Amino acid sequence: MRLRALLDTPTLGLRLLGGEDELDRTVRGVMTTDLRDPSRYLSGGELVLTGLAWRRAPEDSERFVRILAAAGVAGLAAGEAELGQVPDDLVTACARHRLPLFSVVEDVSFASITEHVVRQVSGERAGDLAAVVDRHRRLMTSGPTGGGPEVVLDLLGSDLDLRAWVLSPTGRQIAGSTLAGAGPELSAELAARLAGEHLAAARSGRRGPQRVTPEGGATFSLFPIRHEGRDLRQTLLSDWLLAVEADAGDWPAERLDLLHGVTQLIAVERDRRDAARTVRRRLAQEVLELVQTGAPPAEIAARLRVAAPVLLPGLGTAPQWQIVVARVEWEDGDVPGGPVAQSLLEEVLVDPGTFGPEPSDRIAVAHTGDEAVALVPLPVPDEPGDSSTAGLHADQLLAVVREPLGRGLADDGRLTVGVSASVHSAEGLRGALEEARHARRVAAARPGRVCAAGHEELASHVLLLPFVPDDVRRAFTARLLDPLRDYDRRHRAELIPTLEAFLDCDGSWTRCAGRLHLHVNTLRYRVGRIEQLTGRDLSRLEDKLDFFLALRMS
């Protein structure tokens, strides 16, 4: 706003005492002070309100006005309550430094002037920001992005003093203000809490923005970033949200409309980045179809060689792979859960501590019906077949996201996840897929809206149960014997024959060494390698029994 506009509002009780030629100055804020030197609190463009308590002698006026002029303030308004009238020495000092001077009548409070100025300045800022947002929207819908969500969040911070974050449905931070001094970032716990509150409110049908005030903390307003015109359940668990550290309850309609425009702008970026995953999703779909149709391992391996550079750019060696299966089911069955499960897997398979959307770009996920299947690349361990610590673990996978997702699924949805062991060859993918699917069925047998199970929970005793499918038996056999077969093939070793002989000899080192015509130390080396590759212990009865069953079923 301009200084001149203050004189157009009679209720403010302002009278111009000097500086008529400077009334086109822009007012960017307001400050009330009676400090002798307020320079440390001035940034330029303020209307300074003072009760003149700093003035003890006429010469004090020159010093005070010189400080204000050097700081670049827009104007000075002095109250008449302290001295009855504005002293002439202050009028003279302001004229010398070309600083516009107003007097404030006694019955008008500084609070009334401050409220009027802040309202006018905020409205103008919102209008300016709306124009910027509209320009960015046109740029992003007609060509390359203009810098991503961070640009818009920085505008909210610089022009409206609003701290804001873009969060995933699990609470992971997608974007935040990059301005220096913007304050601390959201903690993972608070972000998950906000995401859960947003999902719960959306499922209950409450209109946004939602206002949340964590215990002892600031108030946040939550704005959905979603696809319009579709069943809420199709997008709820994949859409982002905008969390603003402010109470939007008393905002004017203009500012709410502006924030709605911001969410639409970020939604364009969300769709753009989602479309960029098309190649990875197609690669995953092709690999999944080859695995399910029983294609030759060589053909699957060739497809993996194509996928590896896309998923792991710059990686010189072929990775190991792990398969994760997820299923989202709604009680009425009207909404397909596959696309939702696909988006969820692309999110939950990322470390919750990572920032931005890019980490999920290395996860290839396909979907069919209500099921989504993720092909997850893993670092190559130091020892071939040593997967005891590498990869994803079902008990940790959903730990951070279980609460917000459970609130989004509400009373009519369910998410179940199964995780396979890692495999390092195309031959193992079929068994890994079957293993992950059965692990998901184990999770589905448990109570709760969000459940997961891993390959380690497929204990050997389930193989004796008549209702267990044949594919589970094959998965169990592949998990135990595939590492040994692969090692034998690559090193021309004889671990499988050694294992069979060792079990036939009831674990007797001497008898087994004699049957194989080996030195006992050589036999111990081979058995040690078997244990290392499989993570089992052949001195334990349970592990011996598992190997016995696997060999008999292979």
Side-chain angles (χ1 to χ4, degrees), residues 25 37 39 42-46 62-74 97-99:
R25 293 186 181 187
D37 181 3
S39 57
L42 297 172
S43 58
E46 296 92 348
E62 169 65 24
R63 179 176 181 273
F64 184 76
V65 172
R66 185 172 63 251
I67 290 172
L68 298 188
V73 303
H97 291 280
R98 302 181 63 84
L99 182 66

Side-chain angles (χ1 to χ4, degrees), residues 64-131:
F64 184 76
V65 172
R66 185 172 63 251
I67 290 172
L68 298 188
V73 303
L76 174 65
E80 298 177 350
E82 181 73 17
L83 302 178
Q85 65 178 9
V86 177
D88 292 339
D89 49 85
L90 181 59
V91 176
T92 301
C94 287
R96 182 180 299 113
H97 291 280
R98 302 181 63 84
L99 182 66
L101 175 64
F102 302 86
S103 66
V104 183
V105 299
E106 185 175 350
D107 57 352
V108 174
S109 68
F110 284 175
S112 299
I113 299 174
T114 299
E115 182 181 356
H116 175 81
V117 172
V118 169
R119 187 185 306 114
Q120 295 298 315
V121 171
S122 296
E124 292 177 0
R125 283 183 176 179
D128 293 341
L129 182 58

Side-chain angles (χ1 to χ4, degrees), residues 196-505:
E197 294 288 348
H198 161 71
L199 292 173
R203 288 308 312 276
S204 66
R206 300 200 303 270
R207 293 179 59 86
Q210 305 302 324
R211 304 198 303 278
V212 180
T213 305
E215 296 78 1
T219 297
F220 291 84
S221 298
L222 310 179
F223 296 82
I225 302 171
R226 64 167 60 120
H227 299 80
E228 301 294 343
R230 299 171 62 183
D231 190 305
L232 180 64
R233 293 172 296 178
Q234 291 180 287
T235 61
L236 179 68
L237 299 181
S238 59
D239 286 336
W240 294 346
L241 69 136
L242 177 66
V244 180
E245 189 179 17
D247 188 345
D250 56 355
W251 281 5
E254 292 80 4
R255 179 169 289 200
L256 290 173
D257 289 342
L258 173 60
L259 267 293
H260 180 63
V262 169
T263 63
Q264 290 179 323
L265 182 59
I266 297 174
V268 173
E269 180 69 8
R270 171 71 174 87
D271 292 341
R272 190 183 302 278
R273 293 183 176 181
D274 189 61
R277 294 174 177 168
T278 301
V279 174
R280 288 179 294 279
R281 289 172 169 175
R282 186 172 65 247
L283 286 172
Q285 191 72 46
E286 291 174 354
V287 172
L288 176 62
E289 290 175 358
L290 290 175
V291 171
Q292 291 186 129
T293 57
E299 186 177 353
I300 299 175
R303 184 61 59 187
L304 285 177
R305 284 194 294 272
V306 173
V310 177
L311 298 176
L312 296 175
L315 188 66
T317 56
Q320 289 191 345
W321 303 93
Q322 200 167 8
I323 288 183
V324 181
V325 172
R327 193 176 183 91
V328 172
E329 297 172 291
W330 304 102
E331 289 184 359
D332 58 17
D334 292 340
V335 179
V340 179
Q342 181 181 47
S343 297
L344 275 180
L345 276 187
E346 288 172 339
E347 175 60 34
V348 302
L349 293 177
V350 179
D351 182 347
T354 58
F355 175 85
E358 288 78 13
S360 60
D361 289 347
R362 293 189 174 185
I363 306 297
V365 186
H367 77 83
T368 54
D370 290 332
E371 180 185 78
V373 180
L375 186 64
V376 184
L378 302 175
V380 179
D382 296 333
E383 290 291 334
D386 181 13
S387 58
S388 57
T389 59
L392 303 166
H393 297 274
D395 57 344
Q396 302 171 1
L397 190 60
L398 301 179
V400 177
V401 303
R402 180 174 278 106
E403 193 273 337
L405 291 184
R407 301 189 71 177
L409 292 163
D411 296 328
D412 61 342
R414 192 148 194 258
L415 168 67
T416 52
V417 178
V419 183
S420 79
S422 60
V423 296
H424 53 275
S425 65
E427 292 91 336
L429 284 178
R430 177 66 182 273
L433 176 59
E434 294 171 345
E435 188 173 58
R437 281 175 168 163
H438 182 64
R440 191 206 63 78
R441 287 193 289 267
V442 171
R446 297 171 175 168
R449 291 290 170 185
V450 181
C451 298
H455 61 91
E456 65 279 355
E457 299 182 59
L458 305 183
S460 59
H461 64 269
V462 304
L463 302 175
L464 304 178
L465 302 178
F467 63 84
V468 176
D470 290 340
D471 58 353
V472 178
R473 302 169 188 256
R474 290 194 299 270
F476 177 80
T477 301
R479 179 158 55 92
L480 275 180
L481 301 185
D482 275 2
L484 306 183
R485 290 169 176 151
D486 184 72
Y487 188 91
D488 283 349
R489 182 170 57 256
R490 288 185 292 108
H491 297 277
R492 296 184 180 180
E494 296 182 345
L495 297 186
I496 292 290
T498 300
L499 176 62
E500 292 175 330
F502 187 75
L503 295 175
D504 286 343
C505 294

Side-chain angles (χ1 to χ4, degrees), residues 15-60:
R15 183 167 59 94
L16 182 65
L17 300 181
E20 184 175 0
D21 294 339
E22 304 293 333
L23 291 181
D24 285 329
R25 293 186 181 187
T26 300
V27 179
R28 297 186 175 87
V30 62
M31 175 187 177
T32 300
T33 183
D34 277 311
L35 295 174
R36 294 172 62 85
D37 181 3
S39 57
R40 72 180 67 181
Y41 304 109
L42 297 172
S43 58
E46 296 92 348
L47 172 66
V48 174
L49 307 176
T50 181
L52 301 177
W54 48 266
R55 183 184 178 277
R56 300 170 185 173
E59 56 269 22
D60 290 341

